[in-house]
Amino acid sequence: MSDLTKLTLAGARDALRKGETTSVELTETHLKAIEGAGALNAFVHHTPEIALEQAKAADARIAAGDAPDMCGLPIGIKDLFCTKGVPSQAASAILEGFKPEYESTVSQNLFDAGAVMLGKLNMDEFAMGSSNETSVYGNVVNPWRRSGDEADLTPGGSSGGSASAVAADLCLAATGTDTGGSIRQPAAFTGITGIKPTYGRCSRWGTIAFASSLDQAGPMTKDVRDAAIMLEAMCSFDAKDSTSANLPVPNFEAMLTGDIKGKTIGIPKEYRMDGMPDEIEQLWADGTAMMKEAGAKVVDISLPHTKYALPAYYVIAPAEASSNLARYDGVRYGHRAKLDAGDGITEMYEKTRAEGFGPEVQRRVMIGTYVLSAGFYDAYYNRARRVRALIKKDFDDVFATGVDAILTPATPSAAFGLGEMKDADPVQMYLNDVFTVTVNLAGLPGIAVPAGVDANGLPLALQLIGKPWEEGDLLNTAYALEQSAGFVAKPSKWW
Amino acid sequence: MLDLTFESPKIKTIAGAKHDWELVIGMEVHAQVSSNSKLFSGASTQFGAEPNSNVAFVDAAMPGMLPVINEFCVEQAVRTGLGLKAEINLFSAFDRKNYFYPDLPQGYQISQLYHPIVGEGEVIVDMEPGIARRVRIERIHLEQDAGKSIHDMDPNMSFVDVNRTGVALMEIVSRPDIRGPEEAAAFVVKLRQILRYLGTCDGNMQSGSMRADVNVSVCLPGQYEKFIETGDFGHLGTRCEIKNMNSMRFIQQAIDVEAKRQIAIIEAGGKVDQETRLYDPDKGETRSMRSKEEAHDYRYFPDPDLLPLEIEQAWVDDIAKTLPELPDEKKARFVKGFNLSEYDASVLTADVDSAGFFEAVAEGRDGKLAANWVINELFGRLKADEKDITSSPITPAQLGGIIDLIKADTISGKIAKDLFEIIYTEGGDPAEVVEARGMKQVTDTGAIEAAVDQIIADNPAQVAKAKENPKLAGWFVGQVMKATGGKANPKAVNQIIAAKLAE
C-alpha cells in the first residue's frame, strides 16, 4: 500500500479486514515515523515491544474474524493514563520512574478492542497548560508552521503530544483528556478532530487526576468518523469510578449520516468577544452558513453567565487539583528530594514538592489551597460552584427550547509561537480556554472540528456543543460540518 | 415499650480556691465500623496483619485510583443511627479534609462535614439504678481512618503502616450534655454497649476500635442552664479538646486534671485558650498539642470523586426491622419480666452475650434464682479463670439443669455448688452426675431422724445447753449434715432437730 501513516482509523480498519495490510506492518511503519519525528517531541516513552506484541495478537484476531473496529490500529496514549508497567508520569518530575501496576480503564478498553500502543504522549504537566510548555519533557512542537516562517508553534495543551502526533501522522489516533479544553484546543491548533464526551462517559479510573469533577478522556483523531469509532471503544460504565454513567454505549459510527435537516443549531451571542480576530469571526459565520445550507435551523441564543465561566473554572479546577496532588509527597512513589541532616517530614514534603512540581502546577496548587482556605471558601470556591450551577442552567434552558447543538469558535486564535507567552500574565494563557471551559463546567459533550485556515495557513476550528449523553447526535452534526467545510490541509513535513 | 424511669444525676462540682465550678463535657467517639473491607476499597480490615499487607491501590493513593463506597459500611452507620434513636439523613455527602501526614497517603481524609449520614439522637447514660443522664447525640458521620506512623524502630527514620488507612470509622458526636468525669466514662461504656449490641463496632478500646476526644470546659453554677435555654455557648467557658483517649480510667483522670487546670487559670485571672491537648497518664497532666493559631486549616470541600450518598427510606426501614433489642429495652424487660432488681438486670444486660446466656437459663425457670446463679456463681467463676461468657465451659442448659435440681429439692443449695464445680470442670448432664455420684438430698425423715437420735445420744451435754438456748440448735444441724455427707435436706433436718430438742 501507499503511505500507511496517511490512513484514518476507518481506512486502516477496512484495509486490515480486506487483508491489504497487517497490524504489524502498520505498527512498524508508524514506529519508524515516530523515530524520525524526534523534533516534534510528541512521544516521551516509546513502547515498540508492546506495540509489536499487540500488533501480532491483533493480526491473529483479524485472521480469526474476531476483530473489533480498533483491532490492530496503532495509537498513542497520553502520559496522563496509567499504563501497566510503562512509565506514566503526567509529564511531571514528581512521578519520576513511576510505573503503575494497573491499566487505566480507558486504555484497557482500547487494548481489549485490539488497539496497539506505540508509546506515551507528551502533555502539559498534570494537564495544566494550554501550550504544552509545562512538561518536564520539554515542549511539544506543532507540525504546522506559518507559511514562510520556520518559527516553532505550540500544538496547544494540555494534550499537545497527542495533537501533534496525530497531525504529523505518527499514529492513527491518540487518547486525550480534557479538563477545560485540553482535547479541543490542541485539536484546533493542529487541524485534527477532538471530542470531549459527557462527563461520566469515560471512566476516570487509572487516569491521573487533575480536577476530578471536570476531567474527561476522549479521542483525538484525523476526522469525525474516527472520533466516533474510537470514542465508542473508550467509553464504558465502570463500577470503579463512582461518577461513571451506567448507560449503554451506542454505535456512534452508525449514527454518522451527515443528515442534520430539521436540527436546531444555537449561536450564543456571549461567545462574540471583544478583540476576537476577524478570521475567527469569519470562520464562525462560515460555519453558521454551512449549518444552514445543510438544512439545519440556526437560532441566536443567549448563555448569560458565560463571562463568569473562566474565573469560576480557575477557582474550581485549582481547588480540586490542590487536593488531588497532595498525594505526591515523596513517601510512597515517585520523586523524593535528597534531605540534609536534621531534615524532618516537613522538609521532605517541601523539598520534594518544590523540586517535583513545575511552576504552573505550583501556581495552581497555591491558588487552589488559597480558595479553599478558611475565610475565603465562601467568597471563592462556593461562589464558583454557584456560578457553575448557573452555567449549567444556561445550557439546560437553551436545550429545553429545542436547540440540538451549539456552534462556537473552538479557540480565540490559531496556534501561537512557542515562548510567545513566556512573559505574559498567566491569565493571558488561561484565556485560551474561554470557549471550552463552559462545556466542562456543565459536563456536556463538545467537539472541535477543523473548518478553515488563517492568513498564515494555520488551521482553525469550530466547536459544537451537544446535549448530555447525545454524543452520537453531536458527532453527526460535526460530520455534516466537516463535510461542508472540506478541510483537507496537512502540515508539510519539515521534521 | 417497656421503659424504666430515671432521674438525672446530681451535678458534681469541683471546688476551686474561690468558687465551686461545674463541668461541661462533650465527646467525639471514633468507632471503627465492623466490616470485612474498608470504607472505599476492597482491602481487608483485619487487625494485626503484616504491615502494609491490607492495602488496595486506592488506600495507597496510587495515581488515578478512585474511592467506591462500601454499602455495608453505610448500612452499619444507619443501623447505629437507628440504635441511637437518631434521625437518618437520606441525603449525605462526602467531603475531603486536607492535611499532610505520612500515614495519610491521599493527603486528605474522606469524611462528612457538611452532610452527615446520621442526625440527632440520644444515649441514656446509666449511673446507678434509677439515675441516668440523657445525652443528646448531635450527629454521626462516616470517615476514613488514617494509617500508623512508627517512630521507634530506627533512630533516623519513621516507618508507615497503611493497613488501617481507609478503614471505616463512625464519628459519634455528643452535645455538651455530660457533666462530670464519671458521666463521661459511663457515656463511653453505654455507647460501647449499644454498638456491641448492634454489631456495628466491636468496641475494643485496646486495639483502637474505639477512641474518644473529650471537650472540657468549666463554668459557674447556673451558667449551663442559661446555655441550655438560649443555645448560646457564650454562657459556657472556653473548651479544650483532649485527643485520642482509649481507656475509661484515663478519660476520667484527664477530665479531672484538665478541669482543675482550667479552674486554676481562671481563678488566677487568666484566660483558657481554646486548643487541642493530650493527656499524659504518667505525669497526670494534659499538655498542649496545638493552639488555635496553629490549628490546621483542613480546607474541607465536597469530594468530587464521589456522588452524594442518597439512600431510600424503604432501605432504612428494612434495616430497622433487623435491629436487635437494645440494652435499655432489654434491661426493662428483665426487670419486669423476670422480676429482677434493676441492678441485676444492668449486670446481666451489660453485654449482649451475657444477656442471652441468662435468658436461656431463665427460660421457664425462676428468673431471680437464674440471675443469682449466672451473676454470682458463673460470672465469678469465669472471672477467676479470665474467661468471658462466650467461652463459658458450662452451657445454659447445664446451668438450667442444676437450677431444676435445686427447685425439685433433689439437691441442696450447698450440693448444687459442688455440682456446679463438677459440671464446670468436667462437663456432663447435671441430673446424671447427681445420680451417679450419689449427691441426692436425703429427704427420708426416718434416716434423718436416726442420725439426729444418734447425735443426741452421743452428746448429752450439748443437748442440755441447747434446751436452754434454742439458738445452739445450729450445732446439731452441722453435725447431721456432716454425718450425712451434706446430702440431708436442711429444711427437714432443722424441723426434726427442733422437734427432738423440744421433747
Side-chain angles (χ1 to χ4, degrees):
Chain A
M1 284 193 79
S2 57
D3 191 349
L4 293 172
T5 65
K6 302 288 181 214
L7 290 173
T8 59
L9 289 174
R13 169 193 62 187
D14 298 344
L16 285 171
R17 285 179 179 169
K18 284 185 210 149
E20 293 167 3
T21 183
T22 64
S23 177
V24 168
E25 190 186 7
L26 264 176
T27 300
E28 281 171 342
T29 311
H30 281 95
L31 287 172
K32 213 168 151 214
I34 293 167
E35 255 172 57
L40 298 179
N41 198 27
F43 277 88
V44 292
H45 305 293
H46 301 255
T47 55
E49 294 88 0
I50 293 173
L52 287 168
E53 202 175 297
Q54 288 175 330
K56 278 180 204 152
D59 281 333
R61 275 178 89 173
I62 293 163
D66 160 40
D69 286 338
M70 290 299 294
C71 192
L73 305 182
I75 60 171
I77 303 286
K78 188 178 182 180
D79 200 33
L80 203 63
F81 294 87
C82 286
T83 43
K84 193 171 179 178
V86 175
S88 305
Q89 288 187 223
S92 179
I94 205 144
L95 276 168
E96 195 180 355
F98 177 66
K99 291 182 187 171
E101 290 294 321
Y102 44 88
E103 188 71 47
S104 81
T105 299
V106 163
S107 52
Q108 187 64 55
N109 285 347
L110 287 165
F111 298 155
D112 288 347
V116 171
M117 175 171 72
L118 296 166
K120 301 296 286 286
L121 290 160
N122 205 347
M123 53 180 284
D124 279 299
E125 184 181 5
F126 281 104
M128 298 178 189
S130 303
S131 65
N132 220 128
E133 290 169 291
T134 70
S135 168
V136 72
Y137 303 111
N139 60 267
V140 180
V141 179
N142 193 329
W144 292 83
R145 286 176 163 176
R146 295 183 185 113
S147 40
D149 185 348
E150 295 198 348
D152 284 343
L153 302 179
T154 175
S158 68
S159 308
S162 304
S164 179
V166 174
D169 296 327
L170 307 184
C171 50
L172 293 179
T175 61
T177 64
D178 190 317
T179 304
S182 280
I183 286 174
R184 291 159 289 158
Q185 184 252 18
F189 278 11
T190 55
I192 66 166
T193 300
I195 180 168
K196 180 202 90 75
T198 313
Y199 181 80
R201 260 292 184 212
C202 285
S203 167
R204 293 183 297 110
W205 192 87
T207 308
I208 297 172
F210 162 14
S212 311
S213 74
L214 300 157
D215 296 343
Q216 262 298 290
M220 301 180 72
T221 57
K222 293 180 185 177
D223 63 17
V224 173
R225 177 173 301 280
D226 282 5
I229 293 169
M230 187 162 162
L231 179 62
E232 188 185 333
M234 291 169 75
C235 297
S236 64
F237 166 62
D238 185 359
K240 292 184 288 185
D241 174 1
S242 307
T243 62
S244 161
N246 193 356
L247 289 173
V249 179
N251 180 342
F252 295 126
E253 189 186 9
M255 297 171 85
L256 303 181
T257 61
D259 180 6
I260 57 163
K261 283 190 195 72
K263 294 278 179 194
T264 302
I265 307 296
I267 309 295
K269 63 176 185 200
E270 289 80 7
Y271 283 59
R272 190 156 281 112
M273 321 270 292
D274 287 341
M276 191 155 82
D278 292 343
E279 288 171 317
I280 302 286
E281 283 264 20
Q282 190 56 51
L283 181 82
W284 195 10
D286 291 349
T288 306
M290 289 175 211
M291 294 277 96
K292 270 187 201 159
E293 274 164 38
K297 187 176 144 197
V298 173
V299 295
D300 288 327
I301 58 166
S302 174
L303 298 165
H305 296 93
T306 300
K307 66 176 168 204
Y308 304 114
L310 201 63
Y313 173 85
Y314 276 97
V315 169
I316 291 169
E320 293 182 13
S322 71
S323 176
N324 283 335
L325 270 58
R327 65 189 55 199
Y328 307 109
D329 56 7
V331 174
R332 299 168 311 288
Y333 50 76
H335 177 71
R336 180 190 292 176
K338 281 209 171 59
L339 300 182
D340 295 329
D343 280 353
I345 186 68
T346 305
E347 288 77 19
M348 184 175 114
Y349 288 149
E350 287 174 358
K351 290 182 180 179
T352 297
R353 289 166 67 83
E355 290 169 11
F357 290 139
E360 183 61 28
V361 172
Q362 290 188 18
R363 169 159 35 240
R364 297 200 198 188
V365 168
M366 295 293 284
I367 291 171
T369 304
Y370 179 80
V371 299
L372 288 177
S373 58
F376 300 101
Y377 181 85
D378 282 323
Y380 291 98
Y381 184 75
N382 247 349
R383 184 177 293 187
R385 286 182 87 203
R386 286 202 297 276
V387 167
R388 182 177 189 174
L390 291 170
I391 286 165
K392 175 144 192 346
K393 188 175 176 299
D394 283 354
F395 282 107
D396 291 345
D397 291 348
V398 162
F399 289 132
T401 65
V403 168
D404 295 294
I406 296 163
L407 182 73
T408 76
T411 55
S413 72
F416 50 88
L418 283 163
E420 239 170 55
M421 307 275 270
K422 200 170 56 163
D423 301 321
D425 185 313
V427 174
Q428 285 303 115
M429 189 66 99
Y430 298 165
L431 281 170
N432 266 289
D433 302 329
V434 69
F435 299 131
T436 49
V437 289
T438 51
V439 174
N440 300 80
L441 288 169
L444 300 171
I447 185 168
V449 182
V453 291
D454 74 353
N456 294 312
L458 294 179
L460 296 172
L462 290 168
Q463 170 179 242
L464 280 161
I465 302 166
K467 294 194 243 183
W469 315 115
E470 300 283 352
E471 289 87 354
D473 196 50
L474 178 67
L475 283 159
N476 186 45
T477 307
Y479 184 61
L481 177 64
E482 179 183 59
Q483 290 193 318
S484 304
F487 180 89
V488 290
K490 292 289 272 183
S492 350
K493 188 169 185 302
W494 54 262
W495 57 91
Chain B
M1 190 165 49
L2 293 161
D3 257 334
L4 298 176
T5 54
F6 60 86
E7 281 175 25
S8 295
K10 281 210 178 66
I11 291 159
K12 214 172 150 180
T13 54
I14 295 185
K18 299 177 183 166
H19 307 277
D20 280 350
W21 295 85
E22 288 183 5
L23 273 71
V24 179
I25 299 160
M27 298 192 83
E28 294 167 22
V29 175
H30 295 83
Q32 194 182 101
V33 174
S34 291
S35 152
N36 291 330
S37 50
K38 297 183 178 181
L39 182 54
F40 295 110
S41 86
S44 165
T45 57
Q46 196 205 336
F47 179 74
E50 276 292 295
N52 298 312
S53 61
N54 293 342
V55 188
F57 289 133
V58 67
D59 305 323
M62 300 304 274
M65 294 297 94
L66 298 172
V68 177
I69 186 79
N70 176 344
E71 186 182 318
F72 183 67
C73 293
V74 177
E75 187 182 324
Q76 290 287 60
V78 169
R79 185 171 287 123
T80 303
L82 293 170
L84 301 185
K85 300 180 173 41
E87 186 188 344
I88 305 300
N89 294 322
L90 299 182
F91 177 97
S92 66
F94 290 98
D95 304 295
R96 292 186 185 175
K97 177 181 182 179
N98 295 283
Y99 65 96
F100 283 95
Y101 207 68
D103 58 26
L104 185 76
Q106 293 168 138
Y108 54 83
Q109 176 195 34
I110 305 177
S111 182
Q112 297 189 302
L113 176 68
Y114 298 110
H115 301 284
I117 183 150
V118 177
E120 302 211 339
E122 65 171 32
V123 174
I124 306 300
V125 179
D126 311 293
M127 299 308 296
E128 53 189 282
I131 306 288
R133 175 77 67 197
R134 185 187 301 273
V135 174
R136 293 167 300 161
I137 296 298
E138 184 185 325
R139 56 186 279 159
I140 303 175
H141 61 256
L142 277 168
E143 64 184 26
Q144 296 177 298
D145 207 344
K148 268 185 203 154
S149 294
I150 302 150
H151 302 295
D152 54 6
M153 276 173 66
D154 185 286
N156 301 312
M157 308 269 275
S158 289
F159 292 86
V160 176
D161 176 6
V162 292
N163 277 351
R164 204 178 63 190
T165 299
V167 168
L169 295 179
M170 294 178 283
E171 181 170 326
I172 303 165
V173 184
S174 89
R175 297 274 182 200
D177 292 350
I178 300 165
R179 306 304 311 280
E182 298 81 8
E183 289 183 28
F187 171 77
V188 177
V189 168
K190 185 61 180 284
L191 191 58
R192 179 174 178 274
Q193 182 191 20
I194 294 171
L195 299 184
R196 286 175 52 83
Y197 265 64
L198 292 165
T200 57
C201 172
D202 68 21
N204 189 336
M205 297 188 84
Q206 271 174 341
S207 70
S209 295
M210 253 181 110
R211 316 189 283 274
D213 299 342
V214 190
N215 285 284
V216 182
S217 67
V218 295
C219 64
L220 291 173
Q223 292 300 107
Y224 183 79
E225 288 68 24
K226 285 184 192 162
F227 157 71
I228 287 295
E229 220 167 274
T230 60
D232 180 0
F233 279 89
H235 294 295
L236 302 180
T238 304
R239 68 188 154 85
C240 288
E241 183 180 27
I242 312 165
K243 278 273 186 208
N244 250 334
M245 313 289 300
N246 65 354
S247 97
M248 311 297 177
R249 194 159 55 94
F250 291 163
I251 287 172
Q252 297 192 51
Q253 289 172 356
I255 292 170
D256 195 56
V257 301
E258 175 58 19
K260 286 176 178 153
R261 185 189 71 89
Q262 293 182 12
I263 291 167
I265 292 173
I266 300 167
E267 292 197 335
K271 253 185 73 206
V272 173
D273 291 324
Q274 188 180 326
E275 60 184 0
T276 303
R277 300 180 69 84
L278 279 179
Y279 176 61
D280 181 339
D282 294 333
K283 293 189 180 153
E285 61 179 33
T286 66
R287 61 167 175 269
S288 183
M289 195 172 149
R290 51 178 181 257
S291 69
K292 197 177 173 187
E293 287 72 35
E294 295 165 324
H296 288 129
D297 181 349
Y298 291 117
R299 292 166 285 125
Y300 279 99
F301 76 109
D303 191 324
D305 284 334
L306 293 160
L307 300 173
L309 183 57
E310 293 180 72
I311 57 176
E312 287 174 7
Q313 187 60 47
W315 188 61
V316 175
D317 294 343
D318 285 345
I319 296 170
K321 283 182 205 143
T322 67
L323 229 54
E325 183 184 37
L326 291 167
D328 290 341
E329 285 112 57
K330 203 182 275 289
K331 187 170 83 178
R333 186 167 60 80
F334 280 12
V335 167
K336 299 186 179 171
F338 292 111
N339 199 26
L340 303 187
S341 71
E342 198 182 323
Y343 177 81
D344 282 356
S346 296
V347 172
L348 289 168
T349 56
D351 178 271
V352 69
D353 296 317
S354 303
F357 193 103
F358 162 73
E359 272 205 83
V361 175
E363 186 64 45
R365 299 192 175 94
D366 177 339
K368 262 195 149 146
L369 188 58
N372 283 339
W373 274 88
V374 171
I375 296 171
N376 299 326
E377 299 308 320
L378 180 60
F379 286 179
R381 189 69 177 81
L382 289 172
K383 198 174 174 195
D385 275 2
E386 294 181 351
K387 283 192 165 119
D388 73 24
I389 191 76
T390 55
S391 52
S392 166
I394 194 164
T395 65
Q398 288 170 319
L399 186 53
I402 295 172
I403 292 170
D404 290 344
L405 292 167
I406 301 169
K407 271 297 205 191
D409 271 349
T410 310
I411 55 174
S412 67
K414 186 182 171 298
I415 291 289
K417 290 186 185 181
D418 299 340
L419 178 62
F420 174 86
E421 187 58 29
I422 293 167
I423 303 291
Y424 185 95
T425 47
E426 299 172 32
D429 175 62
E432 284 169 17
V433 170
V434 164
E435 195 66 46
R437 304 200 186 186
M439 296 168 81
K440 265 194 179 167
Q441 181 160 256
V442 178
T443 41
D444 172 0
T445 45
I448 297 172
E449 265 182 65
V452 173
D453 287 345
Q454 186 63 48
I455 291 161
I456 285 177
D458 292 350
N459 300 281
Q462 288 290 340
V463 174
K465 277 189 208 164
K467 283 195 185 220
E468 300 212 341
N469 182 3
K471 279 184 188 164
L472 296 176
W475 181 85
F476 289 91
V477 175
Q479 293 300 308
V480 173
M481 295 310 271
K482 209 173 178 181
T484 58
K487 285 180 286 184
N489 182 332
K491 216 155 70 185
V493 172
N494 272 310
Q495 280 169 1
I496 291 166
I497 289 172
K500 296 265 177 195
L501 289 175
E503 276 171 9

